[in-house]
């Protein structure tokens, strides 16, 4: 399951379906599918610097001199990195963890890639922005990253919680409302 | 449409369906429906202080001495107030606007209830928390409230924007990601 989750574009639910399918398939079918997956895997490269899927190493993001190399955004997966890039608001670099902490899937602290992250964060990074998901696993991962990477001179931050843009209060869950209230901001009469 | 939206439990979409239905109905049908709505309306009272629907005036929230009367949370509708209460994180008082700015629905600055809000905010309020929706109309309303209510000694704040709790980055829209990044917070190693 853990390994399936780390395939590009494969979320947790799809991985579960795939795992179920594999478990039920005849042995020769399962072997053929596994071989096909291995071939695809061999064609996709990983950037050694950010661990994102890439067609070259370093990837285009890591190699871009216009990006701020003092900012390092930590995400759970290549899909999360893609969402962050699509938002178009971030101009720093990335580090892709091997998913989130999930003991039942065999992803413990040793499997996340914290050693590699610690080395990477020592290379001129002034702020580490933890952008793991706001799920239970993502929060546990954020806690662990913050604890493991803490050192003087490194600012560690976490994406803000609150109302999604376009959200209607009456359809937003209570935990999110509570966070939005907690993270309320002073509003100046002129600006936003 | 504006009037229909202000009925308890009637959202914008339901109001649109109702309005369409009324426009297509035979005159006697429409009159009968209007009379039924008027009867229901007469049975529901409004709290003069917060303008929430209530069975007595002042309502149970406004009359509760345990709540912090220095905090006033401004919402668009009774349904939004109910969502805020259900979140269980707020211990101040409320003020319910007559919806959000929506010129096409005939809700302009004069229809929102800003005069009543201004008078209410002068009664010992130290912080006004604007909790209008994060839709285009809700944001325009938040701007107008912040501009109209500004006075020395009154702190005006707005609910925070960011990731919804339980959210997965790859399914969150780009504008929300951009806001979550903008509103990121320093993370201490020990706490959250
Ligand atoms: Zn890279
Ligand atoms: Zn009241």
């Amino acid at each position: 399951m853990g390994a399936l989750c780390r395939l590009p574009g494969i979320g947790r639910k799809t991985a579960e379906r795939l795992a179920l399918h594999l478990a039920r398939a005849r042995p020769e079918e399962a072997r053929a599918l596994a071989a096909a997956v291995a071939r695809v895997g061999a064609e996709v490269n990983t950037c050694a610097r950010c661990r994102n899927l890439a067609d070259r190493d370093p990837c285009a993001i890591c190699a871009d001199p216009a990006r701020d190399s003092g900012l390092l955004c930590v995400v759970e997966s290549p899909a999360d990195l893609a969402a962050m890039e699509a938002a178009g608001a971030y101009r720093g670099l990335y580090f892709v963890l091997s998913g989130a902490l999930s003991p039942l899937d065999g992803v413990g602290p040793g499997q996340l890639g914290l050693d590699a992250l610690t080395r990477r964060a020592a290379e001129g990074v002034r702020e580490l922005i933890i952008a793991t998901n706001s799920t239970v696993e993502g929060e546990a991962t954020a806690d662990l990253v913050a604890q493991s990477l803490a050192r003087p001179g490194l600012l560690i931050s976490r994406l803000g919680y609150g109302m999604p843009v376009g959200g209607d209060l009456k359809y937003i869950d209570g935990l999110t409302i509570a966070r939005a209230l907690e993270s309320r901001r002073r509003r100046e009469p002129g600006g936003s």
Side-chain angles (χ1 to χ4, degrees), chain A residues 138-158:
Chain A
E139 294 303 337
T141 306
D143 285 340
L144 182 67
V145 168
Q147 278 162 26
S148 309
L149 274 281
R151 64 164 169 82
L154 178 66
L155 172 62
I156 300 185
S157 62
R158 176 85 172 105

Side-chain angles (χ1 to χ4, degrees), chain A residues 45-186:
Chain A
N45 289 311
T46 298
C47 171
R49 210 145 183 248
C50 67
R51 315 203 318 170
N52 192 21
L53 304 166
D55 50 4
R56 56 194 157 127
D57 181 12
C59 70
I61 293 175
C62 287
D64 183 351
R67 303 193 67 125
D68 182 348
S69 61
L71 294 176
L72 191 67
C73 178
V74 180
V75 294
E76 291 180 22
S77 71
D80 294 331
L81 187 158
M84 189 67 117
E85 278 297 287
Y90 180 64
R91 296 301 298 160
L93 302 177
Y94 293 95
F95 184 89
V96 181
L97 295 171
S98 306
L101 276 181
S102 184
L104 291 179
D105 288 331
V107 184
Q111 279 74 51
L112 286 177
L114 292 181
D115 290 351
L117 174 57
T118 304
R119 285 192 300 273
R120 178 65 188 81
E123 296 165 5
V125 174
R126 64 175 189 282
E127 180 178 354
L128 189 80
I129 302 169
I130 305 177
T132 53
N133 296 329
S134 64
T135 55
V136 173
E137 293 83 5
E139 294 303 337
T141 306
D143 285 340
L144 182 67
V145 168
Q147 278 162 26
S148 309
L149 274 281
R151 64 164 169 82
L154 178 66
L155 172 62
I156 300 185
S157 62
R158 176 85 172 105
L159 291 190
Y161 299 89
M163 286 192 292
V165 173
D168 187 326
L169 211 59
K170 59 183 166 293
Y171 303 125
I172 297 177
D173 71 287
L175 284 173
T176 298
I177 291 181
R179 289 280 202 161
L181 187 67
E182 198 180 272
S183 65
R184 67 186 184 271
R185 301 192 141 200
R186 186 180 186 131

